[in-house]
């Protein structure tokens, strides 16, 4: 069976709990590597350079773009966000499933460049739950919450471009569902053509 | 989340253990319905009409064809095999995942009629294991075994038209993998458009 790494993009409405879900998944299973994005946005309290993000100046970021060292990048709410290519390729090569937690613009760009990427969207069980989680964060003003919801409405128009969805109602269950879903992608025929070809050749040698 | 039934077609080389795998899966989990095929081949010892197959005369079978009461049918080794439509639709309507264990000609015809069918192929871990299982059956002469292997070589040319594969090395593990794989198909965005649309409308009502 295929054990080449799969590239997975995870998106979802702001406040849906993507970050928590990814942390829980990677803490529980060791076949995943969480890609670290580069960004020009300012660090939030508690965020460390090289852990949550690689924090870059605008000039540094634009140099990465110019040198084609990003899998994707996008400008979102006035800041650049992007995925450094080297880390992703290194982890895939080692057979790990690499997760990019990126917003929609970036996600759909990755599909253009890498058609066999797996696009996942994390959904809330309902919109009210999303609002409650945004309010619960307490780092966001009501104005920012309204902006996030308007952004969510915008993103909802392109959700059908994703492959699969995970409903994040119960964290533990969502982690298991996500793990099962990604695991089953290793069974795709298109990811196992070396194996099916080998069986074919063995069969031909027998008749 | 979507709980409409999924139509699943399972094929695999003769001797790979499809039947045993399907029996184990449906014995362990109750969300599956195993479709019962109609056939004009003679019953083997121990086979019961309405359990393993609906055994039909050639005339009866051709009447089902004429009245379009089959999801698919094919002529295989001189006998008709087909899937009665009524049973399949009834089970899907009740939210059960319906498994059709059919050979390749039939499988690929179902895809034409029903594009969202899930096509699975059961693979042996290697060709020698397949030969050993065919010999172990003891109901088949060496000549029949050679025919089955020649048929397998033929079928191997179209394996890449299937969606996913399951390697049947260890039965218990194959059952779990199959269950996980089918379960994860319920997370497909294309099977959940009612839900994603509903969240969208809830979000729009909030901004």
């Amino acid at each position: 069976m295929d054990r080449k790494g799969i590239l997975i993009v995870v998106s979802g409405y702001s406040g849906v709990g993507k970050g928590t879900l990814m942390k829980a998944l990677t803490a529980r299973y060791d076949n995943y590597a969480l890609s670290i994005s580069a960004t020009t946005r300012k660090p939030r309290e508690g965020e460390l350079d090289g852990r949550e993000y690689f924090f870059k100046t605008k000039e540094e970021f634009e140099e990465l773009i110019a040198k084609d060292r990003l899998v994707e990048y996008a400008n979102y709410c006035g800041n650049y966000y992007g995925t450094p290519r080297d880390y992703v390729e290194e982890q895939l090569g080692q057979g790990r499933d690499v997760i990019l937690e990126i917003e929609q613009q970036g996600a759909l760009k990755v599909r253009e460049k890498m058609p066999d990427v797996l696009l996942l969207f994390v959904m809330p069980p309902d919109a009210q739950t999303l609002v409650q989680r945004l309010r619960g964060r307490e780092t966001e003003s009501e104005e920012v919450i309204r902006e996030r919801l308007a952004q969510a409405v915008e993103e909802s128009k392109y959700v059908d471009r994703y492959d699969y969805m995970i409903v994040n109602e119960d964290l533990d269950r969502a982690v298991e569902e996500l793990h099962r879903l990604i695991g089953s992608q290793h069974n795709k025929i298109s990811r196992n053509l070396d194996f099916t070809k080998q069986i074919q050749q063995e069969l031909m040698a027998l008749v």
Side-chain angles (χ1 to χ4, degrees), chain A residues 31-116:
Chain A
N31 57 303
Y32 299 106
L34 207 50
S35 165
I36 301 167
S37 296
T39 184
T40 56
R41 88 147 160 74
K42 297 284 164 279
R44 290 185 193 147
E45 206 175 309
E47 286 184 341
L48 274 184
D49 185 52
R51 192 179 68 183
E52 279 79 10
Y53 288 95
F54 297 112
F55 294 101
K56 304 280 180 193
T57 64
K58 189 160 173 281
E59 292 67 33
E60 288 169 336
F61 200 99
E62 289 176 346
E63 196 181 327
L64 288 173
I65 298 171
K67 290 185 172 167
D68 196 26
R69 297 321 302 155
L70 299 171
V71 174
E72 55 74 40
Y73 69 94
N75 200 302
Y76 186 71
C77 299
N79 290 302
Y80 279 125
Y81 293 79
T83 304
R85 181 192 292 274
D86 293 350
Y87 179 80
V88 168
E89 290 182 349
E90 183 191 303
Q91 295 293 323
L92 287 174
Q94 290 172 20
R96 306 184 84 195
D97 296 329
V98 179
I99 300 176
L100 315 186
E101 186 200 324
I102 53 181
E103 46 62 58
Q104 203 172 58
Q105 289 179 52
L108 299 178
K109 279 185 200 160
V110 176
R111 161 75 27 103
E112 283 168 32
K113 274 200 192 171
M114 302 174 171
D116 72 342

Side-chain angles (χ1 to χ4, degrees), chain A:
Chain A
M1 261 266 289
D2 157 62
R3 281 311 320 178
K4 277 173 274 184
I6 294 177
L7 182 61
I8 303 138
V9 162
V10 177
S11 306
Y13 304 131
S14 180
V16 80
K18 297 181 295 293
T20 311
L21 187 54
M22 294 309 113
K23 267 179 211 144
L25 179 75
T26 51
R28 196 174 299 176
Y29 299 103
D30 62 7
N31 57 303
Y32 299 106
L34 207 50
S35 165
I36 301 167
S37 296
T39 184
T40 56
R41 88 147 160 74
K42 297 284 164 279
R44 290 185 193 147
E45 206 175 309
E47 286 184 341
L48 274 184
D49 185 52
R51 192 179 68 183
E52 279 79 10
Y53 288 95
F54 297 112
F55 294 101
K56 304 280 180 193
T57 64
K58 189 160 173 281
E59 292 67 33
E60 288 169 336
F61 200 99
E62 289 176 346
E63 196 181 327
L64 288 173
I65 298 171
K67 290 185 172 167
D68 196 26
R69 297 321 302 155
L70 299 171
V71 174
E72 55 74 40
Y73 69 94
N75 200 302
Y76 186 71
C77 299
N79 290 302
Y80 279 125
Y81 293 79
T83 304
R85 181 192 292 274
D86 293 350
Y87 179 80
V88 168
E89 290 182 349
E90 183 191 303
Q91 295 293 323
L92 287 174
Q94 290 172 20
R96 306 184 84 195
D97 296 329
V98 179
I99 300 176
L100 315 186
E101 186 200 324
I102 53 181
E103 46 62 58
Q104 203 172 58
Q105 289 179 52
L108 299 178
K109 279 185 200 160
V110 176
R111 161 75 27 103
E112 283 168 32
K113 274 200 192 171
M114 302 174 171
D116 72 342
V117 65
L118 180 66
L119 297 185
L120 306 183
F121 201 89
V122 184
M123 295 290 282
D126 51 64
Q128 270 307 332
T129 304
L130 193 70
V131 175
Q132 282 160 18
R133 287 183 193 164
L134 282 169
R135 293 223 167 93
R137 261 189 195 178
E138 292 176 358
T139 53
E140 321 280 30
S141 67
E142 276 300 314
E143 193 195 326
V144 170
I145 290 174
R146 271 196 303 278
E147 273 173 25
R148 301 258 185 247
L149 288 175
Q151 184 71 32
V153 169
E154 215 36 55
E155 290 177 0
S156 72
K157 296 173 188 165
Y158 302 96
V159 163
D160 61 0
R161 308 237 184 128
Y162 285 74
D163 300 311
Y164 292 88
M165 66 158 202
I166 296 287
V167 177
N168 188 18
E169 183 160 19
D170 173 75
L171 177 65
D172 190 67
R173 206 181 139 184
V175 167
E176 287 312 303
E177 223 169 82
L178 191 56
H179 182 61
R180 175 180 88 169
L181 173 57
I182 297 170
S184 71
Q185 293 303 301
H186 286 278
N187 291 60
K188 268 198 130 169
I189 288 278
S190 56
R191 297 189 194 273
N192 289 279
L193 297 177
D194 289 350
F195 176 74
T196 61
K197 186 64 82 180
Q198 183 194 319
I199 300 285
Q200 181 180 46
Q201 283 165 353
E202 291 174 13
L203 286 168
M204 288 170 85
L206 285 168
V207 292

